[in-house]
Amino acid sequence: MVAFHEAVGASLGVTAVDQRALAVIMGAGSVSAGELAREIGLTPGAVTGVVDRLARAGLARREPHPEDRRRLVITAAPGAFGDTFAGLGKAMAQLTDRYSSAEQAVIADWVARTIDVLREQTRILNARSRP
Amino acid sequence: MVAFHEAVGASLGVTAVDQRALAVIMGAGSVSAGELAREIGLTPGAVTGVVDRLARAGLARREPHPEDRRRLVITAAPGAFGDTFAGLGKAMAQLTDRYSSAEQAVIADWVARTIDVLREQTRILNARSRP
DNA sequence: TAATTTAATTCAGCATACTGAAATGTCGAT
DNA sequence: ATCGACATTTCAGTATGCTGAATTAAATTA
């Protein structure tokens, strides 16, 4: 999975950090530059570059905030990963079809819990290395 | 999962490439510096740095080749990820216990097939970006 | 034995992305 | 209307890791 993400990055000209930023953006729906900076642990100055690269790759949009003209509204571009993830989506859909709905439920449960485990372990590691 | 790997890297002072190199080393059992260079797509000069970092982190060993003294025998250090992955291993073992052996079989099957899908999609992406 | 090829390392030069600070433009409060 | 606070960008300086070439050492070939 890590190799796949590296390949996606190389293919689109974005870094690993950029992709994590995009995940944050998609998770939140939309964020400001400052929120993004706090969320991914970078300075505001670095976020400009992150959003630049995501926008250039067609993965995110940078729009003015309707009420506060200092702020940005950063959103994921609709169908952001379109071409890049189309192959994966199709292959995974095909894979899913091999299982009964009961089996799919078990798999979904396991995946959700595995994500929780990874999140927690990531938190622990990060706490250890930058306390 | 990508965030976890980044955290592992930060915690051990190794890069994403280093970790992929380690995966290659573990997969092959042992490799020479030149083989590693070809495998991960770097110049021999860069491989010196990769092995330096892996060795410094205690993840790999650099030993002389018994028959050809120009070559290196690079191996993964026994119990390489020990501390770093101990928490993950324990948590995942606990998670596994929640499922019946029939369910575990379904999950294992899905994971194996998902890995195949990711491998294939990675191959396709890499072929597209560096043809 | 001498010449050539091969393996790994070193090093200068280069590219990339981050930090920290200054600059710009905008909001809210007095 | 002015002042201070805030959001983002810009920019110089810095760190990191890669390439490509030169270097060292060892094996192979003549």
Side-chain angles (χ1 to χ4, degrees):
Chain A
M1 188 176 286
V2 172
F4 176 76
H5 270 260
E6 281 178 23
V8 170
S11 163
L12 295 173
V14 299
T15 69
V17 171
D18 298 341
Q19 295 184 66
R20 214 173 65 228
L22 184 57
V24 169
I25 296 167
M26 295 197 302
S30 78
V31 294
S32 71
E35 288 166 350
L36 194 53
R38 278 188 295 279
E39 204 66 37
I40 60 181
L42 293 180
T43 59
V47 168
T48 300
V50 170
V51 179
D52 280 349
R53 287 188 294 274
L54 288 177
R56 175 152 25 92
L59 298 176
R61 303 177 102 90
R62 193 196 243 126
E63 286 160 7
H65 192 286
E67 293 167 6
D68 186 340
R69 288 194 293 179
R70 294 170 303 180
R71 264 181 234 185
L72 289 181
V73 177
I74 303 167
T75 54
F81 285 115
D83 292 350
T84 310
F85 277 167
L88 180 64
K90 205 165 167 179
M92 288 307 291
Q94 253 179 324
L95 175 54
T96 303
D97 281 347
R98 298 178 59 103
Y99 301 94
S100 71
S101 53
E103 288 170 336
Q104 287 179 24
V106 170
I107 293 166
D109 182 73
W110 180 83
V111 168
R113 292 182 193 278
T114 297
I115 290 172
D116 287 342
V117 166
L118 284 168
R119 236 191 269 281
E120 171 68 4
Q121 295 296 320
T122 302
R123 202 187 55 69
I124 293 171
L125 271 183
N126 283 332
R128 191 187 303 169
S129 60
R130 35 177 154 112
Chain B
M1 189 176 285
V2 173
F4 176 75
H5 269 261
E6 281 178 23
V8 169
S11 163
L12 295 173
V14 299
T15 71
V17 171
D18 297 342
Q19 293 184 68
R20 215 173 65 227
L22 184 57
V24 169
I25 296 166
M26 294 196 301
S30 78
V31 295
S32 71
E35 288 166 349
L36 194 53
R38 277 188 296 279
E39 204 66 37
I40 59 181
L42 293 179
T43 58
V47 167
T48 301
V50 170
V51 179
D52 281 350
R53 288 188 294 274
L54 289 176
R56 174 152 27 92
L59 299 175
R61 304 176 100 91
R62 193 196 241 125
E63 287 161 7
H65 193 286
E67 292 167 7
D68 186 339
R69 289 194 292 177
R70 295 169 305 178
R71 266 183 233 185
L72 289 181
V73 176
I74 302 167
T75 55
F81 285 115
D83 292 348
T84 309
F85 278 166
L88 180 63
K90 204 164 168 181
M92 288 308 291
Q94 254 178 325
L95 176 54
T96 302
D97 282 347
R98 298 176 58 102
Y99 301 92
S100 71
S101 53
E103 288 170 336
Q104 288 181 23
V106 170
I107 293 165
D109 182 73
W110 179 84
V111 169
R113 292 182 192 278
T114 297
I115 290 171
D116 288 342
V117 166
L118 284 168
R119 236 192 268 281
E120 172 68 2
Q121 296 294 321
T122 302
R123 202 187 54 69
I124 293 171
L125 270 182
N126 282 333
R128 191 188 304 169
S129 61
R130 35 178 154 108

